């Protein structure tokens, strides 16, 4: 894939922008660039090898990821592997992403997810339409710059001959630290991870329905948490301190404290964003669970305590209790009778602006990482003192 990032919203935004570009141009996915120039004094266009392995650094919205890439434009295949330190939870995320011409799967700390609509996209299929933009020093190297603009999408590659140095699209960029053409890859290089072949088992740590407090940021006038991701107290503090851009991207203006009853036979945490909720993952009935940012090494924290990082929960719509229904403990996937969760009480809802006015941003910056003692105190105090914002009648 062109851009591999841990943040799903960033990943999908990057994928959509590139997919729309290629769709608008109707470009064949493996079309090689023509080794011709666009002007009398232009250098020859680079012809990058269709098969290569590279160590790259990816920059996206201020974050930096070091990745190992295997790339086969001829057969439409890629594999990207990386290990990232997440300072806010003081742990590591291990990523293994594989894409072919129809599918992309991402394995993150043992949790496998299919990215909807995503597949292999060529890095350089657009290059035959690019225009020469002159020379520029990039990372201490004098490079030829080739660029192409389609609508709001601007693609640019810096190269030295037939070796790419950097590729950029908007706020997303990839720097090639190493670039090694290959004739072929060993068998199995682009096989999907074996753990993606079957669903993870449910948790069986508890035998009775659990009542717990949850917290969720959401848009004005929308209080339904079906197909939404929620968190315990520390988990929501981590979310707010660690990814404040998500609130803007999803038009979140409110923060609610609710009480839920749920079946603790937790399944895989699914990534739900927006209103109405759109979810990534294959857990349509059981409540999903992971440690904050999925940082726990054992299936992202699906069945572990996560007391040091907080927990995130996904509440799938198909598992929501209706009417007077109450959740029951299921234990196995074959039993999908009844329901798995329900909201029993809305405790309070406040405006996120009120939370910010009480110094949440400064508290996050002061604490930097879990357990976020200052930010947790500000968070709890705001829920006590800020005015309640009840649902519309």
């Amino acid at each position: 894939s062109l851009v591999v990032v841990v943040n799903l919203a960033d990943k999908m935004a990057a994928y959509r922008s590139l997919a729309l570009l290629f769709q608008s141009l109707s470009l064949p996915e493996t079309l090689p660039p023509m080794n011709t120039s666009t002007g009398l004094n232009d250098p020859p266009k680079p012809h990058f090898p269709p098969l290569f392995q590279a160590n790259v650094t990816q920059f996206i919205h201020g974050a930096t990821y070091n990745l190992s890439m295997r790339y086969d434009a001829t057969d439409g295949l890629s594999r990207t592997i990386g290990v990232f330190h997440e300072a806010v939870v003081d742990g590591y995320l291990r990523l293994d992403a594989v894409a072919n011409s129809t599918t992309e799967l991402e394995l993150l700390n043992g949790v496998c997810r299919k990215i909807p609509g995503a597949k292999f996209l060529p890095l350089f299929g657009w290059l035959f339409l690019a225009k020469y933009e002159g020379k520029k020093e990039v990372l201490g190297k004098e490079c030829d710059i080739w660029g192409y603009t389609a609508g709001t999408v601007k693609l640019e590659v810096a190269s030295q001959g037939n070796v790419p140095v950097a590729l950029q699209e908007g706020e997303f960029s990839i720097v090639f630290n190493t670039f090694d053409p290959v004739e072929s890859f060993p068998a199995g290089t682009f096989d999907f991870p074996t753990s993606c072949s079957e669903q993870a088992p449910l948790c069986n740590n508890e035998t009775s329905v659990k009542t717990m407090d949850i917290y969720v940021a959401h848009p004005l006038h929308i209080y339904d948490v079906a197909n939404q991701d929620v968190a315990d107290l520390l988990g929501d503090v981590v979310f707010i301190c660690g990814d404040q851009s998500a609130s803007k991207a999803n038009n979140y203006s409110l923060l609610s404290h609710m009480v839920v009853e749920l079946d603790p036979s937790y399944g895989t945490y699914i990534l739900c964003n927006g209103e109405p909720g759109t979810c990534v993952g294959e857990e349509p009935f059981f409540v999903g669970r992971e440690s904050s940012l999925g940082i726990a090494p054992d299936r992202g924290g699906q069945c572990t305590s996560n007391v040091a990082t907080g927990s995130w929960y996904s509440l799938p719509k198909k598992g929501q209790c209706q009417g007077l229904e109450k959740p029951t403990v299921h234990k196995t996937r074959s039993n999908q009778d009844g329901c798995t969760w329900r909201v029993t009480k809305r405790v309070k809802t406040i405006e996120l602006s009120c939370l910010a006015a009480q110094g949440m941003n400064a508290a996050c910056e002061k604490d930097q990482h879990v357990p976020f003692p200052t930010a947790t105190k500000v968070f709890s105090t705001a829920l006590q003192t800020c005015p309640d914002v009840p649902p519309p009648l």
Side-chain angles (χ1 to χ4, degrees), residues 64-145:
T64 302
Y65 304 101
N66 292 313
L67 304 162
S68 174
M69 177 186 292
R70 304 293 181 268
Y71 179 89
D72 180 351
T74 302
D75 291 327
L77 300 165
S78 68
R79 184 174 216 122
T80 311
I81 296 173
V83 179
F84 320 113
H85 182 252
E86 290 287 353
V88 292
V89 285
D90 192 23
Y92 290 87
L93 289 170
R94 291 164 174 81
L95 173 73
D96 184 1
V98 181
N100 61 27
S101 60
T102 62
T103 304
E104 178 170 350
L105 295 181
E106 292 189 359
L107 184 68
L108 194 63
N109 277 18
V111 179
C112 188
R113 296 184 180 94
K114 180 180 179 180
I115 306 303
K119 59 181 180 178
F120 174 87
L121 281 180
L123 290 174
F124 308 112
W126 55 275
L127 191 55
F128 81 108
L129 291 173
K131 292 183 178 180
Y132 184 59
E133 298 183 350
K135 291 186 178 293
K136 184 168 67 175
E137 185 174 301
V138 178
L139 302 172
K141 302 175 181 179
E142 186 178 70
C143 298
D144 292 316
I145 306 300

Side-chain angles (χ1 to χ4, degrees), residues 89 119 148 229 245 273 276 342:
V89 285
K119 59 181 180 178
Y148 182 77
D229 293 336
S245 62
N273 292 281
R342 69 169 185 160

